[in-house]
């Protein structure tokens, strides 16, 4: 019985070799053997079968990969001994079960490819880029005997992945550090005597790594990729939190006043930061697409998760304005003021919203506050910041040409920060209409002073 089991195990161990060049050669020998034994005399048929065999082998081995809308991850794990092969199969199966349990399986396509396609990390990276595979897990799986049982070690495999940032970009090192944080301090040993619990442990590791690497790499791409990154991290965080042990949740202050934090809490915290950034990226994209309800929703989620509330509140204020929730836009702008009274966003927002509410003296007051804050910014960021505000105000003016308060706002910003003569031209347009209107009295006084100067 044991001999039969060992035979089946050995055949199972050899079967993946069909995806290697040796496997292709053996299949050729098999086809030729059948052709000769059947005494066939049709060279065209033989050629068709051999070519078909090559094409099938190329796709089966991962040398050719069908394009897919799903995220493709590939395994190229090589068992050193027959006993290791079943562990590889069980680990991949367990990984897929875990992905299914958290609702992420439909986003992934898992391939098992030839273990001889590459032998170095550099070759694996080239494969990832060429085949548009998001992640390749490759390397050797070892096993050793301990008494009557085996110990399997998966620590000698590697992760090759595709990221959007170039190696010379500032983002690249940060992304690499994030991914390394997800990889370090993992237990990859599976003991035959504890195979179920150890398989669960290893598959949990793989789920965390696969989802986090893909999510981190997708976060570097704009648009739909950032949305997918959000989806993956939202599914991963509850999974991470579920497997956090009570003692890992505690943050200890050591005698030298440094903090002692578990690696799993660090991973969770870093993923939350990445998730926050993705919410902001997607929120900004949705604003540009004029999908204001969705943009507000993403900025609100960013605010709830923590991180940088300045970006979240600014996005919520702008989204609320476009949703015609002016009181909400005012409220979020006031929250910006409470958060940081030295940042110009709150003053710029409240000045603009004061014009919308036809409270022109308030608008004049807030533009004066904004001017005093903006002038402290360095030259290039200041010019870009003001140009963006002027562009926004020009769009509002084109929508409501009768609201000459926008002419004043555009003129005062251009005069102070971009070009004094161009600013005066805009302010003259404002004054030529406002000179007979009493509601713009404060704006008119400031304009007269500038034009006289």
């Amino acid at each position: 019985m044991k001999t039969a089991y060992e035979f089946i195990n050995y055949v199972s161990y050899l079967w993946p070799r069909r995806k290697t060049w040796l496997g292709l050669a053996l299949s050729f020998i098999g086809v030729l053997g059948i052709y000769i034994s059947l005494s066939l005399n049709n060279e065209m048929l033989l050629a068709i079968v051999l070519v078909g065999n090559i094409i099938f082998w190329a796709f089966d081995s991962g040398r050719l990969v069908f394009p897919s809308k799903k995220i493709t991850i590939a395994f190229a794990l090589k068992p050193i001994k027959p006993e290791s092969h079943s562990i590889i199969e069980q680990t991949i199966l367990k990984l897929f079960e875990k992905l299914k349990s958290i609702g992420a399986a439909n986003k992934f396509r898992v391939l098992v490819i030839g273990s001889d396609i590459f032998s170095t990390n550099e070759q694996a990276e080239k494969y990832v880029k060429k085949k548009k595979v998001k992640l390749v897990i490759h390397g050797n799986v070892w096993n050793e005997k301990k008494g009557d049982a085996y110990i399997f070690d998966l620590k000698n495999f590697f992760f090759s992945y595709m990221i959007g940032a170039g190696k010379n970009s500032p983002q690249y090192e940060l992304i690499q550090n994030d991914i390394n944080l997800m990889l370090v301090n993992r237990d990859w040993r599976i003991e035959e005597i504890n195979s179920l619990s150890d398989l669960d442990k290893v598959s949990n590791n793989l789920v965390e790594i696969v989802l986090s690497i893909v999510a981190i790499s997708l976060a570097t791409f704009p648009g739909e990729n950032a949305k997918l990154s959000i989806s993956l991290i939202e599914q991963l965080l509850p999974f991470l939190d579920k497997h956090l042990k009570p003692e890992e949740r505690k943050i200890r202050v050591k005698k030298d006043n440094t903090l002692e934090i578990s690696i799993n809490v660090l991973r969770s915290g870093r993923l939350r930061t990445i998730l926050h950034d993705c919410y902001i990226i997607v929120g900004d994209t949705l604003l540009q697409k004029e999908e204001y309800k969705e943009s507000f929703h993403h900025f609100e989620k960013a605010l709830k998760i923590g991180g940088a509330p300045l970006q979240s509140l600014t996005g919520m204020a702008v989204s609320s304005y476009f949703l015609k929730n002016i009181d909400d836009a005012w409220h979020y702008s006031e929250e910006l003021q409470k958060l940081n009274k030295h940042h110009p966003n709150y003053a710029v927002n409240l000045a603009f919203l004061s014009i919308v509410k036809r409270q022109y003296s308030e608008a004049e007051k807030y533009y004066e506050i904004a001017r005093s804050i903006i002038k402290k910014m360095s030259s290039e960021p200041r010019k870009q910041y003001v140009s963006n505000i002027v562009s926004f105000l020009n769009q509002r003016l084109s929508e409501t040409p009768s609201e000459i308060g926008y002419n004043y706002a555009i003129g005062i910003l251009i005069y102070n920060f971009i070009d004094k003569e161009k600013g005066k031209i805009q302010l003259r347009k404002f004054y030529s209409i406002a000179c007979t209107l009493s509601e713009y009295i404060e704006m008119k006084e400031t304009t007269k002073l500038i034009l006289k100067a």
Side-chain angles (χ1 to χ4, degrees), residues 390 406-431 446-447 450-451:
V390 169
Y406 294 140
N407 288 97
Y408 172 82
I410 293 165
I412 205 76
L413 288 168
I414 292 176
Y415 175 81
N416 279 297
F417 301 111
I418 298 177
D419 186 302
K420 289 192 179 300
E421 290 307 312
K422 287 182 180 178
K424 284 182 179 181
I425 291 169
Q426 196 73 34
L427 288 170
R428 285 193 190 99
K429 286 181 185 177
F430 161 74
Y431 194 79
T446 303
T447 301
I450 291 172
L451 294 178

Side-chain angles (χ1 to χ4, degrees), residues 318-335:
V318 175
S319 299
S320 295
Y321 163 73
F322 283 114
L323 290 168
K324 304 192 184 307
N325 298 329
I326 305 303
D327 289 341
D328 287 347
W330 187 276
H331 166 71
Y332 296 126
S333 299
E334 286 186 321
E335 290 298 308

Side-chain angles (χ1 to χ4, degrees), residues 392-445:
F392 174 85
L393 289 169
N394 273 315
Q395 290 171 3
R396 307 291 75 79
L397 180 61
S398 67
E399 294 166 357
T400 319
S402 60
E403 181 46 87
I404 59 172
Y406 294 140
N407 288 97
Y408 172 82
I410 293 165
I412 205 76
L413 288 168
I414 292 176
Y415 175 81
N416 279 297
F417 301 111
I418 298 177
D419 186 302
K420 289 192 179 300
E421 290 307 312
K422 287 182 180 178
K424 284 182 179 181
I425 291 169
Q426 196 73 34
L427 288 170
R428 285 193 190 99
K429 286 181 185 177
F430 161 74
Y431 194 79
S432 66
I433 302 171
C435 60
T436 58
L437 302 173
S438 60
E439 60 263 41
Y440 296 99
I441 186 166
E442 289 86 356
M443 291 181 174
K444 287 192 292 182
E445 289 301 317

Side-chain angles (χ1 to χ4, degrees), residues 181-237:
L181 176 64
M182 302 303 154
L183 294 175
V184 297
N185 199 28
R186 299 279 185 177
D187 186 359
W188 298 107
R189 285 164 66 88
I190 298 175
E191 295 193 31
E192 199 172 40
I193 197 167
N194 300 316
S195 61
L196 285 177
S197 60
D198 283 353
L199 268 171
D200 199 57
K201 168 192 67 185
V202 168
S203 62
N204 285 344
N205 284 342
L206 281 173
V207 167
E208 292 174 17
I209 287 170
V210 167
L211 291 185
S212 57
I213 287 180
V214 173
I216 291 166
S217 63
L218 284 172
T220 65
F221 293 93
E224 292 301 313
N225 290 296
K227 278 188 178 181
L228 186 51
S229 184
I230 287 172
S231 173
L232 294 175
I233 297 176
E234 284 179 338
Q235 289 167 318
L236 178 57
L237 283 173

